[in-house]
């Protein structure tokens, strides 16, 4: 393991230099990797494994997603099977279904979890809250996780660009004595940049907090609040959107992603520097209590239960589509459609 310094805190990580792709192939040379589910993470992880030379098959129910898998090069009866047959054939079962789907398909998967197999997840949800999900694995299999820190689309795109998406990894159950090497080999095989250790509980808790917080929920709330204040004070949609979203995503985010927030502060106007330094503390003080309440709601299992209850409703998809439609058709994001068309690369 490499020991890296993260802001004064040392942490062990695993890189592709020390655990090479060749080593990963050797570890998994006798394994059949069955990817169950071809939705968000399934395509990226399975195609990266296939392109990296691993023995991988896909299990998916018939329908549009099955057809998508065919279009991606998976061959029915050879590398593309029903969920049942893929689980039977696989020595490592990669459960990449949505949290709601895992619960409904779990009885099918469980019957094929014979001694010595490995059950793999990319999210700790089902296991962390298995008192609510019912996903209690047999005690005679390995239970492992590699969780890419991004979407399956990003994982695939970065792989094709020769880059890697960082991932966390965890071992919940090691029966064979090979759980660690299986886990890291899979992490390298799917195209991870570097791997850092976590637990199923920590991954699930941090992931749900991040999704509801700075990655999606909080950022939408912050952007909308600023956009609304500008509009309510007479600013046009174009001005409000550019000052709230466009400059952030197109100009500033690439800078602090590459060089850090301190560098961005140092390379903006003195007026911007002074204002940003003065106002970051009031924003922090206002937002941190909300994040703390969010974290406690996640840690207690309340957020998991809300998701389970919501996703189990027969009209869940219809309600979700209506909420997304309202978001898409809001003035701010309709303004975004026009602004994107005006970007130089589109003209």
């Amino acid at each position: 393991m490499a020991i890296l310094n993260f802001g004064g805190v040392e942490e062990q990580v695993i890189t592709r230099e020390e655990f090479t792709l060749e080593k990963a192939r050797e570890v998994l040379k006798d394994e059949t990797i069955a990817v169950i589910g071809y939705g968000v993470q399934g395509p990226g992880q399975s195609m990266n494994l296939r392109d990296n030379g691993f023995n991988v098959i896909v299990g998916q129910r018939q329908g549009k997603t099955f057809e998508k898998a065919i279009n991606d090069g998976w061959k029915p009866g050879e590398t593309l099977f029903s969920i049942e047959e893929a689980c039977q054939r696989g020595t490592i079962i990669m459960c990449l279904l949505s949290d709601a789907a895992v619960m409904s398909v779990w009885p099918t998967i469980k019957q094929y979890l014979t001694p010595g197999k490995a059950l793999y997840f990319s999210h700790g949800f089902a296991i962390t809250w298995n008192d609510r999900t019912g996903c209690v694995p047999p005690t005679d299999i390995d239970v492992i996780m590699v969780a890419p820190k991004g979407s399956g689309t990003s994982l695939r795109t970065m792989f094709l660009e020769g880059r890697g998406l960082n991932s966390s990894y965890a071992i919940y159950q090691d029966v064979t004595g090979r759980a660690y090497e299986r886990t890291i080999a899979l992490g390298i095989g799917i195209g991870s940049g570097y791997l850092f250790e976590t637990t199923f509980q920590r991954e699930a808790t941090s992931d749900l907090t991040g999704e509801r917080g700075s990655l999606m929920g909080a950022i939408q709330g912050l952007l909308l609040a600023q956009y609304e204040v500008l509009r309510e004070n007479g600013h046009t949609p174009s001005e409000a959107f550019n000052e709230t979203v466009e400059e952030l995503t197109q100009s500033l985010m690439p800078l602090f992603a590459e060089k850090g927030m301190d560098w961005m502060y140092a390379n903006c106007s003195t007026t911007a520097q002074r204002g940003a330094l003065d106002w970051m503390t009031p924003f922090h003080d206002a937002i941190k209590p909300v994040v703390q309440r969010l974290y406690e709601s996640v840690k207690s299992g309340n957020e998991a239960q809300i998701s389970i209850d919501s996703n189990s409703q027969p009209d869940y998809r219809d309600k979700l589509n209506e909420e997304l439609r309202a978001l898409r058709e809001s003035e701010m994001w309709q303004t975004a459609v026009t602004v994107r068309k005006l970007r130089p690369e589109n003209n």
Side-chain angles (χ1 to χ4, degrees), residues 62-76:
Q62 291 284 344
K64 290 183 178 180
T65 307
F66 193 91
E67 296 303 315
K68 180 183 185 306
I70 293 175
N71 291 335
D72 286 341
W74 302 100
K75 300 183 183 302

Side-chain angles (χ1 to χ4, degrees), residues 35-51:
V35 174
I36 308 303
Y38 206 73
V40 176
Q41 282 289 338
Q45 293 200 33
S46 61
M47 287 193 285
N48 289 1
L49 284 165
R50 181 181 65 189
D51 291 353

Side-chain angles (χ1 to χ4, degrees), residues 115-180:
K117 286 193 176 185
L119 176 63
Y120 167 110
F121 291 92
S122 281
H123 188 19
F125 188 103
I127 296 296
T128 298
W129 293 294
N130 59 19
D131 58 329
R132 301 165 189 263
T133 65
C135 299
V136 180
T139 57
D140 52 6
I141 65 167
D142 292 343
V143 183
I144 61 180
M145 177 176 66
V146 176
K149 298 300 103 180
S151 70
T153 300
S154 298
L155 182 73
R156 181 61 176 169
T157 300
M158 293 175 73
F159 175 84
L160 293 174
E161 294 173 348
R163 301 187 293 147
L165 183 63
N166 299 332
S167 302
S168 61
Y169 75 93
I171 298 168
Y172 182 78
Q173 216 167 255
D174 181 6
V175 172
T176 65
R178 297 182 57 241
Y180 174 80

Side-chain angles (χ1 to χ4, degrees), residues 8-152:
V9 178
E10 289 189 343
E11 186 176 339
Q12 292 183 330
V13 302
I14 300 166
T15 69
R16 293 186 287 190
E17 285 70 34
E18 57 186 302
F19 200 111
T20 65
L21 181 58
E22 290 72 23
K23 182 177 180 179
R25 291 195 192 105
E26 179 63 24
V27 168
L28 301 178
K29 65 180 180 180
D30 297 322
E31 305 269 18
T32 297
I33 304 166
V35 174
I36 308 303
Y38 206 73
V40 176
Q41 282 289 338
Q45 293 200 33
S46 61
M47 287 193 285
N48 289 1
L49 284 165
R50 181 181 65 189
D51 291 353
N52 271 333
F54 295 88
N55 180 25
V56 58
I57 61 177
V58 171
Q60 176 61 42
R61 297 200 188 286
Q62 291 284 344
K64 290 183 178 180
T65 307
F66 193 91
E67 296 303 315
K68 180 183 185 306
I70 293 175
N71 291 335
D72 286 341
W74 302 100
K75 300 183 183 302
E78 296 181 21
T79 55
L80 178 59
F81 302 94
S82 67
I83 290 176
E84 291 82 357
E85 187 167 357
C87 285
Q88 184 176 33
R89 288 171 175 262
T91 59
I92 297 174
I93 298 176
M94 297 178 69
C95 185
L96 298 181
L97 299 156
S98 68
D99 295 326
V102 171
M103 293 168 58
S104 63
V105 180
W106 177 250
T108 299
I109 295 175
K110 188 175 182 179
Q111 64 181 314
Y112 297 104
L113 296 176
T114 51
K117 286 193 176 185
L119 176 63
Y120 167 110
F121 291 92
S122 281
H123 188 19
F125 188 103
I127 296 296
T128 298
W129 293 294
N130 59 19
D131 58 329
R132 301 165 189 263
T133 65
C135 299
V136 180
T139 57
D140 52 6
I141 65 167
D142 292 343
V143 183
I144 61 180
M145 177 176 66
V146 176
K149 298 300 103 180
S151 70

Side-chain angles (χ1 to χ4, degrees), residues 197-216:
E197 188 175 11
T198 187
T199 66
F200 273 66
Q201 190 273 338
R202 279 166 41 202
E203 191 282 333
T205 305
S206 60
D207 189 78
L208 265 65
T209 301
E211 291 167 346
R212 286 150 179 76
S214 65
L215 302 180
M216 294 175 69

